[in-house]
Amino acid sequence: MLKTETKLQLRDLAIFGQQPAFAEKVHVGRPNIGNRVNLLARINEMLDRNWLTNDGPYVREFEARLAELVGVRQCVAMCNATISLEIAIRALGLTGEVIVPSFTFIATAHALQWQEITPVFCDIDPRTHNLDPAQVEKMITPRTTGIIGVHTWGRPCDIAALEFIARRRNLQLLFDAAHAFRCSHKGKAIGGFGRCEIFSFHATKFFNTFEGGAVLTNDDALAEKMRLMRNFGFRGNDNVIYIGTNGKMTEVCAAMGLTSLESVDEFAEINRCNYHAYRRELDGIPGVTQMAYDGSQRTNYQYIVLEVDELETGLTRDELVQVLTAENVLARRYFYPGCHRMEPYRSYFPHAALVLPETEKLSRRVMVLPTGTSVNEQMIAQICQIVRTGVSNATAVREQLAGLETPRQMLPTTVLRSQTAGKS
Ligand code: T4K
């Protein structure tokens, strides 16, 4: 275990007016950036070529590389995963109701509601954080046309069970694989399951193209439809055959993607080391459990997910987040409070929580910590020491937080100092 120099005792914590452990904010979701020289060379070439968007050569190359990497016939690159989801949903002809988890980023639900399709929120299995197939069965009505599974944190859904339900009930099955680039399930790459799968290449993702997304599928006709839909529905110059939108990926994003692809193995290895460093450093802290990845499968280790059991720690997840935020560690509460508690869904389904007990519980327990190429083992040791010191002194931490009128994350250190002056 790495030894850290600071934050070993209660009074060292920033919530008591001490300097934050980190001079600069440490973020969840700091972008992983590949070789700059290669990126800039590609951008120069693009400028010389004077072809900036609309199915350009980089986009085509990027699509071909992704399809090959994942082992699927077709990859349709787009401007982000939200539009990719919207286009896939429309191209598959979904209508009425579609079953989705509530424990996901809001984009999964919005992509449906944006097209007046009702997202029906289904509970998750607390062990996997993914859709619980037994609950999916219960949510099916005569209006249901599809299921969108989300491979949350890059850990695959129970794909076989969802496929079985979809086949038997004649439903379309697709996957929001926004988190799951370079992950596999039973030896097969994520991206090749269901009717299609959607990746996100947003800056905060394991692999990024600044903004970007893609739909992967083995269905040539579906891919062709989505290609037209991402370009306003044009087939040829003056002929529109579908309703469409502007979902095109730009050349500069594809250049970033091609460059990032050169480094994905390196990114994954850094994440893997960080993940194991967190496991070592968090070991033995009561009530704090780090979500595990299945080491027998390929995974990107992009999310360091902790579950906080207040009964054991003596602190809520939110209190721990406050302690960390004061130290400039910006832990995130993904996906709090659950889509069903956000608008417009909160108003549409005011009683949804009754059928989502596991989502309710999990969204109050989970926090995500920083990893990626901008985090090293020393920083991880320091972050975990803060958690350890906080939990070891839970009662005093709780009293201190309760005594502060303004949420800690809003306060600069100097204000904290003056508030706590004389309390020690
Ligand atoms: N489905 C799922 C399951 C998803 O998780 C997402 C996206 C989607 C679909 C839709 O994919 P896209 O349409 O975005 O391709 C972020 C991302 O914006 C979002 O892409 C992501 N999920 C979601 C989980 O996280 P916020 O609201 O947390 O973003 P923000 O601005 O707070 O950034 C997160 C942290 O990253 C901050 O602490 C700052 C840091 N950051 C961010 C950016 C953009 C950087 O350090 N540098 C940067 O350039 O949503």
Side-chain angles (χ1 to χ4, degrees):
M1 186 166 154
L2 278 169
K3 287 280 167 276
T4 50
E5 301 301 321
T6 62
K7 310 292 173 182
L8 295 172
Q9 297 182 16
L10 177 67
R11 296 287 151 180
D12 298 337
L13 294 177
I15 58 164
F16 287 94
Q18 298 304 318
Q19 287 291 342
F22 295 93
E24 293 187 1
K25 294 188 189 325
V26 185
H27 294 271
V28 170
R30 263 299 196 232
N32 293 326
I33 295 172
N35 185 307
R36 280 169 198 234
V37 176
N38 293 357
L39 173 64
L40 295 174
R42 284 194 172 96
I43 293 175
N44 269 326
E45 205 179 308
M46 174 197 82
L47 295 173
D48 289 343
R49 193 159 47 216
N50 233 330
W51 195 278
L52 306 184
T53 184
N54 286 17
D55 213 13
Y58 281 153
V59 167
R60 285 175 178 234
E61 185 185 343
F62 182 60
E63 290 180 335
R65 295 280 310 280
L66 283 186
E68 190 192 349
L69 198 76
V70 175
V72 294
R73 290 177 60 82
Q74 299 283 345
C75 167
V76 187
M78 305 213 195
C79 55
N80 59 54
T82 307
I83 293 282
S84 305
L85 276 164
E86 286 172 17
I87 289 180
I89 287 163
R90 191 175 282 269
L92 284 170
L94 299 184
T95 56
E97 295 175 359
V98 172
I99 296 170
V100 289
S102 175
F103 189 75
T104 180
F105 191 59
I106 196 70
T108 322
H110 278 353
L112 291 161
Q113 191 64 50
W114 193 256
Q115 319 190 53
E116 312 262 313
I117 299 166
T118 305
V120 172
F121 295 119
C122 179
D123 214 0
I124 44 155
D125 180 334
R127 291 163 307 174
T128 64
H129 301 184
N130 286 327
L131 272 181
D132 179 348
Q135 298 303 318
V136 171
E137 285 272 13
K138 293 184 190 159
M139 308 310 279
I140 297 172
T141 74
R143 297 189 69 228
T144 310
T145 58
I147 304 167
I148 303 181
V150 181
H151 305 305
T152 311
W153 320 126
R155 298 196 308 175
C157 294
D158 187 342
I159 295 175
L162 294 178
E163 278 174 345
F164 180 72
I165 296 169
R167 221 178 10 253
R168 207 160 42 86
R169 307 297 293 259
N170 200 22
L171 303 174
Q172 305 275 9
L173 175 64
L174 61 157
F175 293 100
D176 177 339
H179 297 183
F181 184 72
R182 201 189 170 281
C183 297
S184 70
H185 176 64
K186 296 191 174 160
K188 183 178 162 192
I190 295 292
F193 293 97
R195 293 295 311 278
C196 61
E197 301 209 60
I198 291 92
F199 288 130
S200 169
F201 309 132
H202 181 258
T204 55
K205 293 291 184 284
F206 164 69
F207 163 85
N208 85 85
T209 61
F210 302 128
E211 289 267 3
V215 189
L216 283 88
T217 179
N218 284 308
D219 183 331
D220 293 345
L222 178 64
E224 179 56 14
K225 195 169 179 182
M226 292 190 293
R227 277 185 210 288
L228 300 184
M229 284 180 162
R230 81 172 168 185
N231 185 31
F232 313 102
F234 271 107
R235 169 174 282 158
N237 269 352
D238 307 311
N239 185 27
V240 170
I241 63 164
Y242 294 122
I243 183 166
T245 184
N246 183 352
K248 289 166 286 162
M249 176 176 270
T250 64
E251 284 290 277
V252 77
C253 288
M256 180 68 165
L258 288 167
T259 310
S260 300
L261 268 184
E262 297 163 355
S263 301
V264 278
D265 290 341
E266 194 189 312
F267 297 158
E269 181 55 18
I270 290 169
N271 275 356
R272 193 185 66 80
C273 291
N274 287 349
Y275 163 77
H276 287 293
Y278 271 111
R279 289 196 86 74
R280 283 194 305 276
E281 299 291 336
L282 290 168
D283 189 41
I285 303 180
V288 174
T289 312
Q290 185 181 349
M291 184 201 76
Y293 288 100
D294 175 357
S296 73
Q297 293 300 310
R298 230 158 105 107
T299 183
N300 57 34
Y301 296 98
Q302 175 69 358
Y303 297 93
I304 303 296
V305 182
L306 305 192
E307 281 186 52
V308 179
D309 180 350
E310 182 191 353
L311 293 179
E312 283 191 59
T313 54
L315 292 175
T316 61
R317 181 273 314 271
D318 289 355
E319 286 167 329
L320 258 186
V321 168
Q322 276 183 272
V323 170
L324 286 163
T325 304
E327 306 286 354
N328 275 338
V329 180
L330 305 191
R332 295 296 297 258
R333 302 185 297 177
Y334 295 129
F335 294 104
Y336 178 78
C339 296
H340 66 289
R341 288 191 177 273
M342 296 185 180
E343 291 297 354
Y345 314 108
R346 186 171 52 192
S347 300
Y348 291 169
F349 318 114
H351 307 300
L354 294 174
V355 293
L356 300 167
E358 299 299 345
T359 304
E360 287 276 302
K361 248 188 266 169
L362 190 68
S363 64
R364 284 196 291 264
R365 288 162 62 103
V366 160
M367 69 176 175
V368 178
L369 293 178
T371 185
T373 49
S374 58
V375 174
N376 60 38
E377 290 199 24
Q378 202 69 43
M379 293 164 76
I380 291 169
Q382 177 64 90
I383 292 168
C384 297
Q385 183 60 51
I386 295 164
V387 174
R388 192 178 291 277
T389 302
V391 171
S392 309
N393 298 280
T395 310
V397 165
R398 180 166 274 182
E399 275 171 16
Q400 176 69 2
L401 291 173
L404 300 168
E405 285 153 28
T406 319
R408 309 299 311 178
Q409 52 265 56
M410 313 293 287
L411 299 178
T413 317
T414 44
V415 180
L416 295 176
R417 283 229 180 77
S418 67
Q419 276 199 3
T420 50
K423 279 196 180 177
S424 59

